[in-house]
Amino acid sequence: MESKNNTSWTGTWKNQYGSVLTIEAEEAGRIKGTFQSAVDPGVKEGIVTGICSNDLIAFAAMGEGGRKVASWTGILRNGRIETLWHVAVNEKLVAGAEGVPATKKTAGIWEAFVTGADTFERV
């Protein structure tokens, strides 16, 4: 499905931090592709799946071997995808003191979520 701007979602998009969203397929309101984070080493290259309708899009990716999920909801405006994103994690690393190896602990509800905004431009 194409946007109201007659622009296909397929292609490569980069956000303001250098992370890359590649939408490889778009069919019947569904998209699939990959996401490579420039800022989160836990999302080296995640599989993306999502939906699109006219100039609206929502997609999600998984990272850190399934221990982290990220989702974006956005709108295509002036050739850019303006999004809000959410990341959810189940575990965090905790060290008792500096120099002590960290161990994984279940993240409390206030530590499990992060929210922000990204702007993607076609590369």
Side-chain angles (χ1 to χ4, degrees):
M1 188 175 286
E2 293 190 357
S3 76
K4 289 180 181 176
N5 301 354
N6 294 325
T7 302
S8 171
W9 292 101
T10 58
T12 302
W13 302 80
K14 188 180 282 191
N15 72 12
Q16 71 273 25
Y17 303 109
S19 298
V20 177
L21 166 66
T22 302
I23 300 175
E24 299 162 353
E26 172 185 354
E27 185 177 336
R30 295 180 183 178
I31 62 164
K32 64 180 180 177
T34 59
F35 180 78
Q36 292 180 292
S37 177
V39 296
D40 185 346
V43 186
K44 293 181 178 93
E45 184 167 359
I47 294 172
V48 165
T49 186
I51 56 174
C52 60
S53 177
N54 297 313
D55 56 357
L56 303 174
I57 191 167
F59 57 94
M62 189 175 306
E64 291 188 6
R67 294 186 307 271
K68 176 183 289 190
V69 292
S71 63
W72 293 257
T73 303
I75 187 167
L76 183 63
R77 292 274 169 90
N78 301 316
R80 302 180 334 172
I81 307 172
E82 303 285 349
T83 68
L84 290 179
W85 55 260
H86 303 283
V87 172
V89 298
N90 189 39
E91 299 172 327
K92 64 178 185 168
L93 291 174
V94 177
E98 188 174 333
V100 175
T103 58
K104 292 181 182 178
K105 301 284 183 185
T106 300
I109 194 69
W110 296 109
E111 302 166 305
F113 299 97
V114 180
T115 299
D118 280 335
T119 299
F120 290 86
E121 295 192 54
R122 194 178 292 276
V123 178

